[in-house]
């Protein structure tokens, strides 16, 4: 009787629907909007299959692509250690920002990246934070995106009211920009960090070239999407993933096209800092 009851309980358990899937073996990549839900080593989409195969070959281990309904579901799976790599947009990343970090961000075109920029103001002006730049007349040294629209977006992400800025002043170079700032022709000199270094470094460290100015802001625009890993992923694995993906647009354009579509558009992927997807974070 006891043996028969035990057999019945085992049979009953086998008949119950599964409530959770065992995480698949190998390296798991989570992406919203795949053709199939769940994890697969044979996605029906040709570009997705090309990406999976390329990643598997470079990692030297099985790779599965895991499809989810939306970014929120991908973030939850990453939070629960069900994924090794996730493709997330910025709003979805917020939920996992304490346990995960982006390692790559999309580059929109051949020139425009998330350039590090600064906003310089005279110390005497009191404009020493992004918020205090409201109503300023900005000075730029170029109309190119890397020196103009990219820093403007970064300033806005850090809380500057860029819509209140007065008509922009464009000058020939960083030296002309500093002269215009000192002459009161503008209130904030906005330029790349590289131009700022050229302007204020000098050959003699004893000579202070920019002692009358202050950095009201230094930063990059927020990355709107990225490839994200958990913070506990071994550093060597993180570096390997970066190395694989920075060359993806050259080695496998079809695979890059697949990722680009999931990242909101991109021609390439750039390595990025841990805070890239956190608004207003240095």
């Amino acid at each position: 009787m006891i043996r028969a009851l035990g057999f019945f309980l085992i049979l009953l358990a086998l008949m119950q629907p599964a409530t959770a899937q065992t995480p698949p073996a190998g390296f798991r990549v989570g992406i919203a909007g795949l053709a199939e839900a769940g994890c697969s080593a044979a996605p029906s989409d040709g570009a997705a299959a090309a990406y999976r195969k390329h990643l598997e070959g470079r990692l030297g281990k099985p790779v599965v692509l895991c499809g989810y309904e939306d970014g929120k579901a991908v973030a939850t799976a990453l939070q629960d250690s069900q994924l090794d790599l996730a493709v997330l947009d910025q709003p979805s990343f917020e939920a996992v920002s304490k346990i995960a970090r982006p390692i790559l961000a999309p580059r929109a075109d051949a020139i425009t990246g998330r350039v590090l920029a600064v906003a310089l103001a005279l110390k005497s002006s009191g404009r020493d934070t992004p918020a205090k730049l409201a109503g300023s007349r900005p000075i730029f040294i170029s109309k190119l995106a890397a020196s103009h629209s990219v820093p403007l977006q970064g300033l806005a992400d850090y809380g500057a009211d860029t819509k209140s800025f007065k008509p922009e002043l464009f000058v020939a170079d960083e030296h002309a920009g500093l002269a215009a700032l000192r002459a009161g022709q503008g209130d904030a000199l906005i330029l790349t960090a590289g131009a700022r270094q050229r302007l204020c470094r000098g050959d003699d460290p004893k000579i202070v070239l920019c002692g009358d100015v202050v950095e009201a802001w230094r930063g990059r625009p927020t990355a709107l999407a990225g490839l994200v890993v958990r913070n506990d992923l071994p550093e060597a694995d993180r570096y390997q993933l970066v190395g694989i993906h920075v060359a993806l647009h050259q080695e496998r354009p079809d695979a890059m096209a697949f990722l680009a579509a999931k990242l909101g558009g991109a021609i390439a992927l750039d390595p990025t800092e841990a805070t890239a997807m956190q608004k207003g974070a240095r």
Side-chain angles (χ1 to χ4, degrees):
M1 179 65 181
I2 295 176
R3 182 179 297 176
L5 180 60
F7 177 80
F8 174 78
L9 292 175
I10 293 173
L11 181 63
L12 183 63
L14 292 173
M15 293 175 62
Q16 295 299 313
T19 57
Q21 292 184 345
T22 301
F27 192 82
R28 304 153 299 177
V29 183
I31 305 174
L34 287 180
E36 300 93 0
C39 298
S40 172
S44 60
D45 179 87
Y51 172 63
R52 190 209 66 80
K53 184 177 180 181
H54 178 74
L55 190 56
E56 184 171 89
R58 293 294 302 274
L59 288 175
K61 66 177 73 171
V63 171
V64 292
L65 300 188
C66 302
Y68 295 86
E69 181 179 357
D70 53 30
K72 182 179 179 181
V74 176
T76 298
L78 185 68
Q79 174 87 44
D80 295 341
S81 299
Q82 300 297 301
L83 296 173
D84 302 293
L85 178 67
V87 178
L88 292 175
D89 58 16
Q90 194 276 329
S92 300
F93 172 75
E94 291 294 336
V96 293
S97 61
K98 293 183 178 180
I99 61 95
R101 56 152 296 170
I103 58 171
L104 294 134
R107 175 184 284 269
D109 56 53
I111 298 176
T112 306
R114 295 179 54 255
V115 179
L116 181 64
V118 300
L120 302 179
L122 294 177
K123 288 182 178 178
S124 58
S125 70
R127 295 183 175 93
D128 57 0
T129 68
K132 292 179 181 179
L133 293 176
S136 295
R137 185 181 188 191
I139 305 168
F140 295 96
I141 65 173
S142 173
K143 293 184 178 181
L144 294 176
S147 299
H148 181 244
S149 61
V150 174
L152 273 178
Q153 183 59 58
L155 269 168
D157 289 346
Y158 277 71
D161 183 8
T162 56
K163 293 183 179 179
S164 72
F165 282 1
K166 297 174 182 176
E168 301 166 346
L169 174 64
F170 289 92
V171 295
D173 55 32
E174 57 267 23
H175 298 285
L178 182 57
L181 181 68
R182 287 170 170 164
Q185 297 172 10
D187 304 300
L189 174 58
I190 301 171
L191 68 174
T192 65
R196 188 250 193 265
Q197 184 178 19
R198 292 193 301 270
L199 178 65
C200 299
R201 179 181 56 191
D203 297 323
D204 188 344
K206 296 180 181 179
I207 300 177
V208 179
L209 299 178
C210 299
D212 57 340
V213 301
V214 62
E215 281 191 9
W217 166 77
R218 173 182 286 260
R220 308 174 192 268
T222 303
L224 301 181
L227 271 62
V228 177
V229 298
R230 289 177 55 90
N231 292 334
D232 55 13
L233 183 75
E235 190 174 76
D237 293 346
R238 189 170 79 236
Y239 289 154
Q240 184 182 20
L241 287 171
V242 170
I244 292 169
H245 285 87
V246 293
L248 191 64
H249 64 291
Q250 296 174 326
E251 296 181 349
R252 289 304 302 259
D254 50 349
M256 181 64 222
F258 163 71
L259 278 185
K262 303 304 180 185
L263 291 166
I267 66 163
L269 294 166
D270 290 334
T272 197
E273 71 276 21
T275 58
M277 294 174 71
Q278 298 178 33
K279 284 195 174 183
R282 287 182 179 271

